[in-house]
Amino acid sequence: MFRTALSKVYRTPSLATAAAMSCGNAGRSTSSVIPRRLYSDKSEAATENKEASEKASETAESTPVSAEELEKIKKASAEKDAKLKELKDAYLRSLADAENIRNRSKTEVENTKVFAIQKFAKDLLDTVDILELALKHVPKEHLADKVAHKSLVDLFEGVDMTRGSLLKTLERHGVESFDPIDKPYDPNTSHALYQAPIPGKTPGTVFAVEKRGYIIKGRVLRSAQVGVVLDPSGN
């Protein structure tokens, strides 16, 4: 019985078990050897590269540079600096041109928005002129008698309200009227229809306004049509 127990403990392993054990040992030995070999190769390559770079630097330092080669290097450096300066100047000019184009485009867009209604507003001025002409030709004595001329007074007030509404609409869109009466004649804003000597009036001043002038955002939309005082001496 004792011998049987010992034979079970120290029984020789089977062929399959031995093969598995040998494969396991082989895998462990391979995995342990390969990383060590890779690490060794990397360190050796780094050492060789370092030694090569040191030798190259020592060779460059020990090799003298002739005066001709030094002059070529200086010339090449000067040409490079000149080219760099030229490119920098061209770059700055391009930036300035781009900024100018942006500013001009912005101004043009703003002007387009501001003066988009210029033609339409100028056409409306004819209507305002007709209304003002109608109001001017109503006799003042008829307006004073509201009982006898009630219909005329009501019509006058209605036309005057219409004219005022049109002027307010134009003002909301930047169109303003100006009246140069008793002011020095300015050919930039007024158009002289006639001249006449007027006693007590300063020569060269406006004494009559046939049509008022209009401006839009500081620009003359329509010149005022005026009469100018003439100097009796002819000057």
Side-chain angles (χ1 to χ4, degrees), residues 75-116:
K75 185 177 179 180
S77 178
E79 291 178 354
K80 181 193 68 175
D81 293 340
K83 185 64 176 178
L84 181 62
K85 183 178 180 181
E86 181 181 353
L87 292 175
K88 184 178 180 180
D89 293 340
Y91 173 70
L92 294 176
R93 285 194 298 269
S94 300
L95 290 180
D97 292 340
E99 185 65 22
N100 292 334
I101 292 174
R102 281 195 295 269
N103 292 335
R104 285 197 299 269
S105 301
K106 183 178 179 181
T107 302
E108 290 176 359
V109 170
E110 291 177 353
N111 290 337
T112 301
K113 292 179 180 179
V114 170
F115 301 108

Side-chain angles (χ1 to χ4, degrees), residues 127-128 131-132 135 155-169:
T127 303
V128 177
L131 296 176
E132 289 182 345
L135 296 174
L155 178 61
F156 180 88
E157 291 177 352
V159 172
D160 188 42
M161 290 174 62
T162 303
R163 181 190 67 89
S165 178
L166 278 176
L167 291 176
K168 289 181 180 179
T169 301

